Amino acid sequence: MADQEATGGGGDRPRVFSGMQPSGEAHLGNYLGALQQWVQLQESYECYFCIVDEHAITGEFTPAELPDRVFDLAVSFLAVGLDPERSTIFVQSDVPEHVRLAWIFNAVTPVGDLERMTQYKDKSSRRESVPAGLLNYPILQAADILLYRAQKVPVGEDQVQHLELAREIARRWNARFGTLFPEPQAILSQAGRIVGLDGAGKMSKSMGNTVGILDEPEEIWARVRTAVTDPQRIRKNDPGRPEVCNVFSLHQHFTPAERIPDIEGQCRAGTRGCVECKQILAENIAEHFAGTRERARELKAHPDRVREILDAGAARARREAAQTLDEVRERMGMVWRGRLQPTGRPG
Ligand code: SF4
């Protein structure tokens, strides 16, 4: 059985799974690194998009804020164009099978594999007391993906190692209990690493270096004007180096392609100041998300509609998840009712 090829979970279209932690309204890093691509994937794949609150509780969080963060991220999902008619959009903890499968995968995953994960080493080195959940985080990720027998997983570079571990877990489980899980393949984000406005590290809310995709134009400008630029541009007419400037890399995502040579040329020639260059960027970001802001306003005015979408998504996900988990338990000898013979031994 183990050398059979596992079929994926989707019907005609291959299945995709991806998740995002509920950190509230999405920011440019979330959008460029994931959401933009997720919207496109809906065209060719059967997609499961999950708000992974069970992952979020392995880090710092405030219980009173978590529900709002889930809701706000769901609004961002829908406002950018994730379509509940085509994709299954849901909250991880609404589908208990995620943690049940994760526990099962705990039984086939060596601790050494978890300890060598770069993210674990990095995050645990910054904590005095390391929760077991931080170590086991990639196992839950493997369960998220394999529960739906997803064939493809859109990921950023920093998640490639975790996806490789998910493939290894699938291989190990399949070898022992018979092939069931496909080995999921990465769809790498085209956007690369999105650097925050401070120019120092990855864009993230915890670093305070983001621009929210639902921010109003004046908020966008207030954030963008703080962006770090080429340090060699001390005076307005100093020639600049767009290739080292994060503002320029954001221009490449939000400024129309035909205007990029002008942004680049004036930077190199020192004929446009950084403030004006940032103003143009802020305007283009605001313009890019005008429709998204409008849809988000509409959704926030009807929170019941958002809740219904998440409830329907969770119900659909649960149906699929339950089938996989039933099969897993059957193969592992964990379904014993109905098998008892008169002697009291399993038949
Ligand atoms: Fe960056 Fe624009 Fe200033 Fe050049 S002009 S350094 S691209 S902000």
PDB file of all heavy atoms in Angstrom, residues 49-80:
ATOM      1  N   PHE A  49      -8.728  28.409   2.761  1.00  0.00           N
ATOM      2  CA  PHE A  49      -7.993  29.501   3.390  1.00  0.00           C
ATOM      3  C   PHE A  49      -8.430  29.598   4.847  1.00  0.00           C
ATOM      4  O   PHE A  49      -9.617  29.747   5.142  1.00  0.00           O
ATOM      5  CB  PHE A  49      -8.253  30.819   2.652  1.00  0.00           C
ATOM      6  CG  PHE A  49      -7.758  30.814   1.232  1.00  0.00           C
ATOM      7  CD1 PHE A  49      -8.622  31.118   0.186  1.00  0.00           C
ATOM      8  CD2 PHE A  49      -6.434  30.512   0.938  1.00  0.00           C
ATOM      9  CE1 PHE A  49      -8.171  31.113  -1.133  1.00  0.00           C
ATOM     10  CE2 PHE A  49      -5.977  30.502  -0.376  1.00  0.00           C
ATOM     11  CZ  PHE A  49      -6.846  30.810  -1.409  1.00  0.00           C
ATOM     12  N   CYS A  50      -7.455  29.522   5.727  1.00  0.00           N
ATOM     13  CA  CYS A  50      -7.752  29.320   7.144  1.00  0.00           C
ATOM     14  C   CYS A  50      -7.129  30.433   7.996  1.00  0.00           C
ATOM     15  O   CYS A  50      -5.978  30.828   7.777  1.00  0.00           O
ATOM     16  CB  CYS A  50      -7.159  27.969   7.533  1.00  0.00           C
ATOM     17  SG  CYS A  50      -7.496  27.447   9.193  1.00  0.00           S
ATOM     18  N   ILE A  51      -7.903  30.904   8.971  1.00  0.00           N
ATOM     19  CA  ILE A  51      -7.369  31.848   9.959  1.00  0.00           C
ATOM     20  C   ILE A  51      -6.881  30.991  11.130  1.00  0.00           C
ATOM     21  O   ILE A  51      -7.683  30.360  11.828  1.00  0.00           O
ATOM     22  CB  ILE A  51      -8.453  32.850  10.398  1.00  0.00           C
ATOM     23  CG1 ILE A  51      -8.882  33.686   9.188  1.00  0.00           C
ATOM     24  CG2 ILE A  51      -7.953  33.729  11.536  1.00  0.00           C
ATOM     25  CD1 ILE A  51     -10.028  34.641   9.446  1.00  0.00           C
ATOM     26  N   VAL A  52      -5.569  30.932  11.318  1.00  0.00           N
ATOM     27  CA  VAL A  52      -5.001  29.906  12.203  1.00  0.00           C
ATOM     28  C   VAL A  52      -4.836  30.429  13.636  1.00  0.00           C
ATOM     29  O   VAL A  52      -3.748  30.741  14.092  1.00  0.00           O
ATOM     30  CB  VAL A  52      -3.683  29.325  11.622  1.00  0.00           C
ATOM     31  CG1 VAL A  52      -3.977  28.501  10.372  1.00  0.00           C
ATOM     32  CG2 VAL A  52      -2.672  30.407  11.277  1.00  0.00           C
ATOM     33  N   ASP A  53      -5.947  30.454  14.353  1.00  0.00           N
ATOM     34  CA  ASP A  53      -5.899  30.971  15.727  1.00  0.00           C
ATOM     35  C   ASP A  53      -5.187  30.011  16.679  1.00  0.00           C
ATOM     36  O   ASP A  53      -4.626  30.439  17.686  1.00  0.00           O
ATOM     37  CB  ASP A  53      -7.305  31.315  16.235  1.00  0.00           C
ATOM     38  CG  ASP A  53      -8.287  30.163  16.141  1.00  0.00           C
ATOM     39  OD1 ASP A  53      -8.005  29.171  15.439  1.00  0.00           O
ATOM     40  OD2 ASP A  53      -9.362  30.255  16.776  1.00  0.00           O
ATOM     41  N   GLU A  54      -5.191  28.712  16.347  1.00  0.00           N
ATOM     42  CA  GLU A  54      -4.497  27.770  17.234  1.00  0.00           C
ATOM     43  C   GLU A  54      -2.977  27.918  17.123  1.00  0.00           C
ATOM     44  O   GLU A  54      -2.249  27.603  18.063  1.00  0.00           O
ATOM     45  CB  GLU A  54      -4.944  26.330  16.934  1.00  0.00           C
ATOM     46  CG  GLU A  54      -6.351  26.105  17.480  1.00  0.00           C
ATOM     47  CD  GLU A  54      -7.045  24.884  16.907  1.00  0.00           C
ATOM     48  OE1 GLU A  54      -6.662  24.420  15.820  1.00  0.00           O
ATOM     49  OE2 GLU A  54      -7.992  24.412  17.541  1.00  0.00           O
ATOM     50  N   HIS A  55      -2.515  28.399  15.998  1.00  0.00           N
ATOM     51  CA  HIS A  55      -1.094  28.727  15.891  1.00  0.00           C
ATOM     52  C   HIS A  55      -0.796  30.004  16.667  1.00  0.00           C
ATOM     53  O   HIS A  55       0.238  30.121  17.314  1.00  0.00           O
ATOM     54  CB  HIS A  55      -0.689  28.920  14.430  1.00  0.00           C
ATOM     55  CG  HIS A  55      -0.578  27.638  13.678  1.00  0.00           C
ATOM     56  ND1 HIS A  55       0.452  26.756  13.856  1.00  0.00           N
ATOM     57  CD2 HIS A  55      -1.377  27.074  12.747  1.00  0.00           C
ATOM     58  CE1 HIS A  55       0.299  25.700  13.064  1.00  0.00           C
ATOM     59  NE2 HIS A  55      -0.822  25.874  12.388  1.00  0.00           N
ATOM     60  N   ALA A  56      -1.732  30.950  16.609  1.00  0.00           N
ATOM     61  CA  ALA A  56      -1.491  32.261  17.229  1.00  0.00           C
ATOM     62  C   ALA A  56      -1.278  32.148  18.734  1.00  0.00           C
ATOM     63  O   ALA A  56      -0.505  32.918  19.313  1.00  0.00           O
ATOM     64  CB  ALA A  56      -2.667  33.192  16.934  1.00  0.00           C
ATOM     65  N   ILE A  57      -1.934  31.173  19.380  1.00  0.00           N
ATOM     66  CA  ILE A  57      -1.822  31.107  20.840  1.00  0.00           C
ATOM     67  C   ILE A  57      -0.488  30.537  21.318  1.00  0.00           C
ATOM     68  O   ILE A  57      -0.241  30.473  22.521  1.00  0.00           O
ATOM     69  CB  ILE A  57      -2.993  30.305  21.467  1.00  0.00           C
ATOM     70  CG1 ILE A  57      -3.000  28.858  20.962  1.00  0.00           C
ATOM     71  CG2 ILE A  57      -4.325  30.999  21.201  1.00  0.00           C
ATOM     72  CD1 ILE A  57      -3.941  27.960  21.749  1.00  0.00           C
ATOM     73  N   THR A  58       0.380  30.136  20.376  1.00  0.00           N
ATOM     74  CA  THR A  58       1.719  29.693  20.793  1.00  0.00           C
ATOM     75  C   THR A  58       2.634  30.894  21.026  1.00  0.00           C
ATOM     76  O   THR A  58       3.727  30.750  21.556  1.00  0.00           O
ATOM     77  CB  THR A  58       2.384  28.768  19.750  1.00  0.00           C
ATOM     78  OG1 THR A  58       2.529  29.491  18.527  1.00  0.00           O
ATOM     79  CG2 THR A  58       1.556  27.520  19.507  1.00  0.00           C
ATOM     80  N   GLY A  59       2.180  32.081  20.605  1.00  0.00           N
ATOM     81  CA  GLY A  59       2.954  33.308  20.851  1.00  0.00           C
ATOM     82  C   GLY A  59       2.215  34.186  21.862  1.00  0.00           C
ATOM     83  O   GLY A  59       1.253  33.748  22.491  1.00  0.00           O
ATOM     84  N   GLU A  60       2.680  35.422  21.989  1.00  0.00           N
ATOM     85  CA  GLU A  60       2.016  36.354  22.898  1.00  0.00           C
ATOM     86  C   GLU A  60       0.655  36.733  22.310  1.00  0.00           C
ATOM     87  O   GLU A  60       0.560  37.009  21.118  1.00  0.00           O
ATOM     88  CB  GLU A  60       2.854  37.633  23.043  1.00  0.00           C
ATOM     89  CG  GLU A  60       4.232  37.412  23.631  1.00  0.00           C
ATOM     90  CD  GLU A  60       4.177  36.939  25.075  1.00  0.00           C
ATOM     91  OE1 GLU A  60       3.160  37.191  25.743  1.00  0.00           O
ATOM     92  OE2 GLU A  60       5.147  36.283  25.513  1.00  0.00           O
ATOM     93  N   PHE A  61      -0.383  36.729  23.133  1.00  0.00           N
ATOM     94  CA  PHE A  61      -1.688  37.194  22.650  1.00  0.00           C
ATOM     95  C   PHE A  61      -2.545  37.598  23.837  1.00  0.00           C
ATOM     96  O   PHE A  61      -2.282  37.221  24.975  1.00  0.00           O
ATOM     97  CB  PHE A  61      -2.395  36.109  21.831  1.00  0.00           C
ATOM     98  CG  PHE A  61      -2.985  34.997  22.665  1.00  0.00           C
ATOM     99  CD1 PHE A  61      -4.353  34.935  22.903  1.00  0.00           C
ATOM    100  CD2 PHE A  61      -2.168  34.040  23.235  1.00  0.00           C
ATOM    101  CE1 PHE A  61      -4.895  33.930  23.681  1.00  0.00           C
ATOM    102  CE2 PHE A  61      -2.698  33.034  24.026  1.00  0.00           C
ATOM    103  CZ  PHE A  61      -4.059  32.978  24.247  1.00  0.00           C
ATOM    104  N   THR A  62      -3.575  38.400  23.546  1.00  0.00           N
ATOM    105  CA  THR A  62      -4.490  38.863  24.580  1.00  0.00           C
ATOM    106  C   THR A  62      -5.862  38.269  24.281  1.00  0.00           C
ATOM    107  O   THR A  62      -6.442  38.562  23.225  1.00  0.00           O
ATOM    108  CB  THR A  62      -4.577  40.408  24.559  1.00  0.00           C
ATOM    109  OG1 THR A  62      -3.246  40.909  24.615  1.00  0.00           O
ATOM    110  CG2 THR A  62      -5.391  40.947  25.725  1.00  0.00           C
ATOM    111  N   PRO A  63      -6.383  37.416  25.184  1.00  0.00           N
ATOM    112  CA  PRO A  63      -7.666  36.755  24.890  1.00  0.00           C
ATOM    113  C   PRO A  63      -8.774  37.733  24.503  1.00  0.00           C
ATOM    114  O   PRO A  63      -9.544  37.455  23.583  1.00  0.00           O
ATOM    115  CB  PRO A  63      -7.997  36.038  26.207  1.00  0.00           C
ATOM    116  CG  PRO A  63      -6.665  35.767  26.821  1.00  0.00           C
ATOM    117  CD  PRO A  63      -5.797  36.930  26.454  1.00  0.00           C
ATOM    118  N   ALA A  64      -8.828  38.880  25.156  1.00  0.00           N
ATOM    119  CA  ALA A  64      -9.926  39.828  24.864  1.00  0.00           C
ATOM    120  C   ALA A  64      -9.825  40.382  23.444  1.00  0.00           C
ATOM    121  O   ALA A  64     -10.820  40.821  22.877  1.00  0.00           O
ATOM    122  CB  ALA A  64      -9.907  40.970  25.883  1.00  0.00           C
ATOM    123  N   GLU A  65      -8.601  40.360  22.883  1.00  0.00           N
ATOM    124  CA  GLU A  65      -8.430  40.943  21.534  1.00  0.00           C
ATOM    125  C   GLU A  65      -8.562  39.910  20.419  1.00  0.00           C
ATOM    126  O   GLU A  65      -8.761  40.270  19.261  1.00  0.00           O
ATOM    127  CB  GLU A  65      -7.038  41.591  21.425  1.00  0.00           C
ATOM    128  CG  GLU A  65      -6.892  42.845  22.253  1.00  0.00           C
ATOM    129  CD  GLU A  65      -5.479  43.393  22.190  1.00  0.00           C
ATOM    130  OE1 GLU A  65      -4.627  42.817  21.486  1.00  0.00           O
ATOM    131  OE2 GLU A  65      -5.233  44.399  22.873  1.00  0.00           O
ATOM    132  N   LEU A  66      -8.415  38.645  20.778  1.00  0.00           N
ATOM    133  CA  LEU A  66      -8.340  37.615  19.731  1.00  0.00           C
ATOM    134  C   LEU A  66      -9.585  37.575  18.826  1.00  0.00           C
ATOM    135  O   LEU A  66      -9.456  37.503  17.597  1.00  0.00           O
ATOM    136  CB  LEU A  66      -8.036  36.251  20.363  1.00  0.00           C
ATOM    137  CG  LEU A  66      -7.561  35.152  19.422  1.00  0.00           C
ATOM    138  CD1 LEU A  66      -6.379  35.574  18.574  1.00  0.00           C
ATOM    139  CD2 LEU A  66      -7.218  33.885  20.211  1.00  0.00           C
ATOM    140  N   PRO A  67     -10.805  37.638  19.396  1.00  0.00           N
ATOM    141  CA  PRO A  67     -11.985  37.597  18.503  1.00  0.00           C
ATOM    142  C   PRO A  67     -11.992  38.734  17.470  1.00  0.00           C
ATOM    143  O   PRO A  67     -12.320  38.515  16.300  1.00  0.00           O
ATOM    144  CB  PRO A  67     -13.169  37.723  19.464  1.00  0.00           C
ATOM    145  CG  PRO A  67     -12.644  37.245  20.779  1.00  0.00           C
ATOM    146  CD  PRO A  67     -11.200  37.664  20.814  1.00  0.00           C
ATOM    147  N   ASP A  68     -11.602  39.941  17.914  1.00  0.00           N
ATOM    148  CA  ASP A  68     -11.577  41.067  16.966  1.00  0.00           C
ATOM    149  C   ASP A  68     -10.519  40.839  15.887  1.00  0.00           C
ATOM    150  O   ASP A  68     -10.702  41.191  14.726  1.00  0.00           O
ATOM    151  CB  ASP A  68     -11.257  42.379  17.690  1.00  0.00           C
ATOM    152  CG  ASP A  68     -12.436  42.856  18.514  1.00  0.00           C
ATOM    153  OD1 ASP A  68     -13.555  42.341  18.297  1.00  0.00           O
ATOM    154  OD2 ASP A  68     -12.243  43.723  19.386  1.00  0.00           O
ATOM    155  N   ARG A  69      -9.421  40.262  16.298  1.00  0.00           N
ATOM    156  CA  ARG A  69      -8.341  40.022  15.319  1.00  0.00           C
ATOM    157  C   ARG A  69      -8.765  39.009  14.261  1.00  0.00           C
ATOM    158  O   ARG A  69      -8.435  39.144  13.092  1.00  0.00           O
ATOM    159  CB  ARG A  69      -7.074  39.550  16.035  1.00  0.00           C
ATOM    160  CG  ARG A  69      -6.432  40.693  16.769  1.00  0.00           C
ATOM    161  CD  ARG A  69      -5.272  40.253  17.611  1.00  0.00           C
ATOM    162  NE  ARG A  69      -4.690  41.423  18.220  1.00  0.00           N
ATOM    163  CZ  ARG A  69      -3.464  41.890  17.982  1.00  0.00           C
ATOM    164  NH1 ARG A  69      -2.681  41.238  17.172  1.00  0.00           N
ATOM    165  NH2 ARG A  69      -3.031  42.980  18.544  1.00  0.00           N
ATOM    166  N   VAL A  70      -9.500  38.001  14.716  1.00  0.00           N
ATOM    167  CA  VAL A  70     -10.019  37.009  13.768  1.00  0.00           C
ATOM    168  C   VAL A  70     -11.003  37.692  12.814  1.00  0.00           C
ATOM    169  O   VAL A  70     -10.915  37.544  11.583  1.00  0.00           O
ATOM    170  CB  VAL A  70     -10.714  35.846  14.531  1.00  0.00           C
ATOM    171  CG1 VAL A  70     -11.514  34.972  13.573  1.00  0.00           C
ATOM    172  CG2 VAL A  70      -9.673  35.018  15.283  1.00  0.00           C
ATOM    173  N   PHE A  71     -11.925  38.466  13.384  1.00  0.00           N
ATOM    174  CA  PHE A  71     -12.935  39.133  12.556  1.00  0.00           C
ATOM    175  C   PHE A  71     -12.268  40.090  11.555  1.00  0.00           C
ATOM    176  O   PHE A  71     -12.603  40.086  10.361  1.00  0.00           O
ATOM    177  CB  PHE A  71     -13.916  39.896  13.454  1.00  0.00           C
ATOM    178  CG  PHE A  71     -14.924  40.706  12.683  1.00  0.00           C
ATOM    179  CD1 PHE A  71     -16.059  40.095  12.159  1.00  0.00           C
ATOM    180  CD2 PHE A  71     -14.731  42.060  12.456  1.00  0.00           C
ATOM    181  CE1 PHE A  71     -16.981  40.829  11.418  1.00  0.00           C
ATOM    182  CE2 PHE A  71     -15.642  42.802  11.723  1.00  0.00           C
ATOM    183  CZ  PHE A  71     -16.778  42.191  11.207  1.00  0.00           C
ATOM    184  N   ASP A  72     -11.328  40.875  12.047  1.00  0.00           N
ATOM    185  CA  ASP A  72     -10.694  41.865  11.163  1.00  0.00           C
ATOM    186  C   ASP A  72      -9.908  41.200  10.032  1.00  0.00           C
ATOM    187  O   ASP A  72      -9.884  41.698   8.905  1.00  0.00           O
ATOM    188  CB  ASP A  72      -9.760  42.786  11.967  1.00  0.00           C
ATOM    189  CG  ASP A  72     -10.541  43.741  12.857  1.00  0.00           C
ATOM    190  OD1 ASP A  72     -11.761  43.905  12.643  1.00  0.00           O
ATOM    191  OD2 ASP A  72      -9.932  44.323  13.778  1.00  0.00           O
ATOM    192  N   LEU A  73      -9.274  40.077  10.341  1.00  0.00           N
ATOM    193  CA  LEU A  73      -8.554  39.392   9.261  1.00  0.00           C
ATOM    194  C   LEU A  73      -9.547  38.789   8.265  1.00  0.00           C
ATOM    195  O   LEU A  73      -9.320  38.826   7.053  1.00  0.00           O
ATOM    196  CB  LEU A  73      -7.625  38.299   9.824  1.00  0.00           C
ATOM    197  CG  LEU A  73      -6.749  37.625   8.758  1.00  0.00           C
ATOM    198  CD1 LEU A  73      -5.835  38.637   8.062  1.00  0.00           C
ATOM    199  CD2 LEU A  73      -5.909  36.499   9.356  1.00  0.00           C
ATOM    200  N   ALA A  74     -10.667  38.272   8.789  1.00  0.00           N
ATOM    201  CA  ALA A  74     -11.684  37.721   7.879  1.00  0.00           C
ATOM    202  C   ALA A  74     -12.207  38.825   6.945  1.00  0.00           C
ATOM    203  O   ALA A  74     -12.384  38.593   5.739  1.00  0.00           O
ATOM    204  CB  ALA A  74     -12.842  37.119   8.683  1.00  0.00           C
ATOM    205  N   VAL A  75     -12.414  40.010   7.485  1.00  0.00           N
ATOM    206  CA  VAL A  75     -12.854  41.137   6.648  1.00  0.00           C
ATOM    207  C   VAL A  75     -11.805  41.419   5.566  1.00  0.00           C
ATOM    208  O   VAL A  75     -12.140  41.608   4.388  1.00  0.00           O
ATOM    209  CB  VAL A  75     -13.109  42.400   7.516  1.00  0.00           C
ATOM    210  CG1 VAL A  75     -13.254  43.644   6.651  1.00  0.00           C
ATOM    211  CG2 VAL A  75     -14.359  42.203   8.380  1.00  0.00           C
ATOM    212  N   SER A  76     -10.536  41.410   5.957  1.00  0.00           N
ATOM    213  CA  SER A  76      -9.470  41.654   4.966  1.00  0.00           C
ATOM    214  C   SER A  76      -9.477  40.578   3.885  1.00  0.00           C
ATOM    215  O   SER A  76      -9.346  40.878   2.694  1.00  0.00           O
ATOM    216  CB  SER A  76      -8.086  41.667   5.639  1.00  0.00           C
ATOM    217  OG  SER A  76      -7.973  42.741   6.529  1.00  0.00           O
ATOM    218  N   PHE A  77      -9.642  39.324   4.299  1.00  0.00           N
ATOM    219  CA  PHE A  77      -9.691  38.212   3.326  1.00  0.00           C
ATOM    220  C   PHE A  77     -10.764  38.500   2.274  1.00  0.00           C
ATOM    221  O   PHE A  77     -10.537  38.407   1.064  1.00  0.00           O
ATOM    222  CB  PHE A  77     -10.082  36.899   4.031  1.00  0.00           C
ATOM    223  CG  PHE A  77      -8.944  36.119   4.654  1.00  0.00           C
ATOM    224  CD1 PHE A  77      -7.707  36.691   4.891  1.00  0.00           C
ATOM    225  CD2 PHE A  77      -9.126  34.799   5.031  1.00  0.00           C
ATOM    226  CE1 PHE A  77      -6.675  35.953   5.479  1.00  0.00           C
ATOM    227  CE2 PHE A  77      -8.110  34.051   5.610  1.00  0.00           C
ATOM    228  CZ  PHE A  77      -6.891  34.633   5.836  1.00  0.00           C
ATOM    229  N   LEU A  78     -11.955  38.815   2.774  1.00  0.00           N
ATOM    230  CA  LEU A  78     -13.096  38.970   1.860  1.00  0.00           C
ATOM    231  C   LEU A  78     -12.965  40.240   1.031  1.00  0.00           C
ATOM    232  O   LEU A  78     -13.291  40.259  -0.154  1.00  0.00           O
ATOM    233  CB  LEU A  78     -14.400  38.979   2.664  1.00  0.00           C
ATOM    234  CG  LEU A  78     -14.661  37.685   3.466  1.00  0.00           C
ATOM    235  CD1 LEU A  78     -15.818  37.880   4.445  1.00  0.00           C
ATOM    236  CD2 LEU A  78     -14.945  36.512   2.524  1.00  0.00           C
ATOM    237  N   ALA A  79     -12.457  41.299   1.673  1.00  0.00           N
ATOM    238  CA  ALA A  79     -12.375  42.585   0.971  1.00  0.00           C
ATOM    239  C   ALA A  79     -11.365  42.551  -0.180  1.00  0.00           C
ATOM    240  O   ALA A  79     -11.552  43.216  -1.190  1.00  0.00           O
ATOM    241  CB  ALA A  79     -12.019  43.697   1.961  1.00  0.00           C
ATOM    242  N   VAL A  80     -10.289  41.759  -0.036  1.00  0.00           N
ATOM    243  CA  VAL A  80      -9.314  41.708  -1.149  1.00  0.00           C
ATOM    244  C   VAL A  80      -9.788  40.819  -2.290  1.00  0.00           C
ATOM    245  O   VAL A  80      -9.227  40.854  -3.378  1.00  0.00           O
ATOM    246  CB  VAL A  80      -7.900  41.226  -0.730  1.00  0.00           C
ATOM    247  CG1 VAL A  80      -7.246  42.187   0.239  1.00  0.00           C
ATOM    248  CG2 VAL A  80      -7.917  39.815  -0.191  1.00  0.00           C
TER     249      VAL A  80
END
